[in-house]
Amino acid sequence: MSASLTKSSTLWLFLLQTDKLDPSRDTVFFRDGVRRIDFVLSYVDDKDGEKKQERRRAFEANLEKRGLELETEDKSDSKDQKTYFLKIHAPRDVLATYADVLKIKVPFKKSDIPQSQDVALEWLTQPFRLPGNIMHPEPDYFTYHFDKTKTDFFLIGDKDTFFPPSTRNRIVFYILSRCAYYKEGQKDREKTGIKRLLSNGTYTAAFPLHDCRYWKKGRNAEERYNLYKHWARFLCFYKEQPLNLIKKYYGEKIGIYFAWLGFYTEMLFLAAVVGLICFIYGVLSYDDNITSKEICDPKIGGSIMMCPLCDKNCTFWRLDSTCLSSWQSHLFDNEATVFFAMFMGIWVTLFLEFWKRRQARLEYEWDLVDFEEEQQELQTRPEFEIKCTNRRLNKITQEMEPYLPLHTRCARYCLSGATVTFWISLILACITGVIAYRLAVYASFASIIGNHKGESGNHKNKTLLVGGLITPQLATSVTASCINFVIIMILNFFYEKVAIWITDMEIPKTHLEYENRLITKMFMFQFVNYYSSCFYVAFFKGKFVGYPGNYTYMFGKWKKFRNEECDPGGCLIELTTQLLIVMAGKQLWGNIQEALLPLMRNWWSSRKGRHNPENHYSRWEQDHVLQNFSQLGLFYEYLEMVIQFGFITLFVASFPLAPLLALFNNILEIRVDAWKFTTQFRRPVASKARNIGAWQEILNSVAILSVVTNAFIMAFTSDMIPRMVYLYAYSNSTSMKGYINSSLSEYRIPIRPQNMTEDNWFRHFNTTCRYRDYRHPPGHKNEYTHTMQFWHILAAKMAFIIIMEHVVFVVKFFIAWMIPDVPSDVKARIKRERYLIQEHLHNYEVERLKLQLSASFITEPQTSETSLTPDKHEVLSECL
């Protein structure tokens, strides 16, 4: 939730001023202390007061016709003396009616399935466990869809608490979303729903209440307090999450998000450990890196003069100037990197398959197994019903329903597609601009750093040090990555609003369809926005350079933007730099927005609030100042994590420490999100979801694509394959000695004036310069054409891609086949529950029929009873 929390600071005024709160106002009940407040609406008087007041009167009258009970708090009782609060209570009959309509599952029998037995060495995990009453806040029951005509079939203890608060606010919100605010006799379908009243300012807020203050228990209410104490505090980062309590308080949709995020973080631990081991291997094999030793050797690298890397201001340079970058590249470009790339292809499969099993278990435990067609997200959106004035007969229900004509739908889709295409093209244009920046400033960096390297004197020592540590390639890559990150964040800000606008314009029929369309648009944009620069560095930079005298230019020779070259050690270190800056920058910026800024606002508000007089704040006023949790709140949370998932899978071969960074970020992310839900946000309306929806397919697609990208990175971005070809096919001593000389080609001096800068010193003492490629030397009959070694390396790269992809895909599909999506014990429990439902329903109907027949015997006349008794006994025996 990267949205700024504009109202969160006001909360801390309450922390200082509500400890002496009037107990009669810190309550979730009406003034009578009996009827529970299920929802609260707030409004203020303004210049359009008469028109809005008329809407409110009509809306509230229609709510009362639907059976809801209302109670208004006058503005004189509020802190700001401006805000009215309308409290809403749903009586038992209303709850029962809509629970039947929404097919809400309620308990009918206590579960007789034994709980899992204690496992060996469970004491090892005891420090990470939470108390039993927190992990399992309610007993396990068998459940069935509520039926108003069969209330005695269900386990109804206290009728007032039979439906939990999360179910109550879900039902009330369903009514609010479909209640009209026009007077009786009028017909204006657009005047329907609380969302429209919020958008036109008739009401300023609509929200259910938290059950108590998060830092203090309430009267017979402590769920929010327990969530804060055992979940939202950062000191609990090593503890398991109370998923059942989260589900009970916030609903299944939010519960499934935190379950997925927690499971993803747990699986990241394995990837982070393996990645760290691979990085440690690169550090330990530092001294065995013969290639870097040759580059840094004054007799080898110091004697090799390289051709200029740009057309203007670039001089000839010695190979040993890239000594440091070659050592840095070895940390990530070594033999362990190949293993890690293949491991991550298998890890992502294990993650997705084990998540399916975890998700199936949650579906059963949270009564979501049959939650498909009846789910709330598949019900028609009020906006669709309002905007679609055309009606047609539904062939299944035989009822008239709204629909969008084909020509209108096509026109809206075309406009939507054109808008998405324009914005993606805008991203590509910005990336092209960043590439042009890299090409343009490279010469400047080369000139500055090169000149500093050539200067001497004590007054230049500091500059000499910088020039020795930073190469022109590294300086260009770092600055371009930072500029690219800024562009990414700016484009994100604007496109989020555009994506919501075009999705609203399409008028999706259901909530699920709306979310899926928005997910598709946003992910397509974010994919291109975040990953395009990494794709450029990985697969395009240094691949289409040409050679001295015949270089390739980005916009043609007349623009003088020569394509970038890679360091002699390869482009992998630049991909690592790009990935690190974009990924770490995104996570850092997100954490600043989510945690640090709200904390600073809260601290400043608390300082100002110390001098304010104490006031008595009601429960609805305390929640009113909190930030609203929008319908798309979870969408942004999922999007953030899926983008991160792409970073640690698509390009992980270039940066084995990426899973470790993601692990640290997610440990913080879980607690920050928990803190925001518990302390900064109003209580969201509970909603159901049986899985993570369209994100599952996106994760599957990214997982498959990651195998391909990592194979190509190892083949074409890493220098591993050329080194292996040299070692096994061209080395005379079965070692890497001589590899640097073998990987560099020669070019005869003088260089054409229009292409290269001349250096007088170099012209007097050398006749050739070297460049990174495999081409025949000058004087050869096929000079400057590719050598046989180039074709051997290319064949080895293609063979590696084919072998790696096939091996990883075979292992992936084998693992997916071996691991069933639903655990066997869950399958057995589902069958057991369905069997018990049928058995209990049969017994219930039989008992009810017995009672009906017995009652009819008592009420009928004696003569009629005598004549019909055999038939009735026959009917009863058939039923039994």
Side-chain angles (χ1 to χ4, degrees), residues 452-460 464:
H452 288 166
K453 286 179 181 179
E455 295 176 352
S456 61
N458 294 333
H459 65 287
K460 292 293 183 181
L464 277 169

Side-chain angles (χ1 to χ4, degrees), residues 422-435 491 528 532:
F422 167 78
W423 277 89
I424 291 179
S425 301
L426 182 61
I427 296 173
L428 297 178
C430 291
I431 297 301
T432 305
V434 173
I435 296 172
L491 290 176
V528 178
S532 54

Side-chain angles (χ1 to χ4, degrees), residues 490-555:
I490 293 174
L491 290 176
N492 273 350
F493 174 78
F494 289 105
Y495 185 77
E496 286 179 2
K497 303 180 184 302
V498 173
I500 294 174
W501 174 75
I502 58 179
T503 306
D504 290 337
M505 181 195 62
E506 293 176 1
I507 318 179
K509 183 176 181 179
T510 65
H511 293 286
L512 186 62
E513 187 178 352
Y514 181 91
E515 287 190 6
N516 289 345
R517 291 188 187 181
L518 184 60
I519 287 170
T520 303
K521 293 180 182 65
M522 281 298 297
F523 182 75
M524 287 173 56
F525 175 84
Q526 300 276 27
F527 185 91
V528 178
N529 198 19
Y530 279 106
Y531 303 145
S532 54
S533 58
C534 293
F535 272 102
Y536 163 73
V537 175
F539 305 124
F540 295 97
K541 182 180 178 181
K543 307 300 185 294
F544 310 100
V545 177
Y547 60 92
N550 188 28
Y551 280 117
T552 304
Y553 294 82
M554 183 175 181
F555 300 111

Side-chain angles (χ1 to χ4, degrees), residues 28-30 34-39 68-69 88-96 98-99 102 104 158-176 208-209 248-249 683-687:
V28 292
F29 293 93
F30 276 20
V34 177
R35 293 174 294 173
R36 184 182 184 89
I37 303 173
D38 297 314
F39 229 86
L68 298 181
E69 298 177 1
I88 302 175
H89 169 75
R92 288 195 298 265
D93 291 342
V94 174
L95 293 173
Y98 283 94
L102 296 175
I104 293 175
D158 186 349
K159 293 183 179 180
D160 293 327
T161 60
F162 177 64
F163 293 107
S166 58
T167 301
R168 298 175 69 100
N169 69 57
R170 178 187 168 200
I171 290 174
V172 173
F173 184 73
Y174 179 86
I175 298 172
L176 293 173
L209 292 178
K248 181 182 178 183
Y249 192 75
R683 185 173 185 171
V685 178
S687 58

Side-chain angles (χ1 to χ4, degrees), residues 553-572:
Y553 294 82
M554 183 175 181
F555 300 111
K557 291 187 177 181
W558 59 279
K559 280 292 185 181
K560 300 298 182 181
F561 283 166
R562 206 175 92 189
N563 287 350
E564 288 184 280
E565 297 183 45
C566 294
D567 273 334
C571 270
L572 193 71

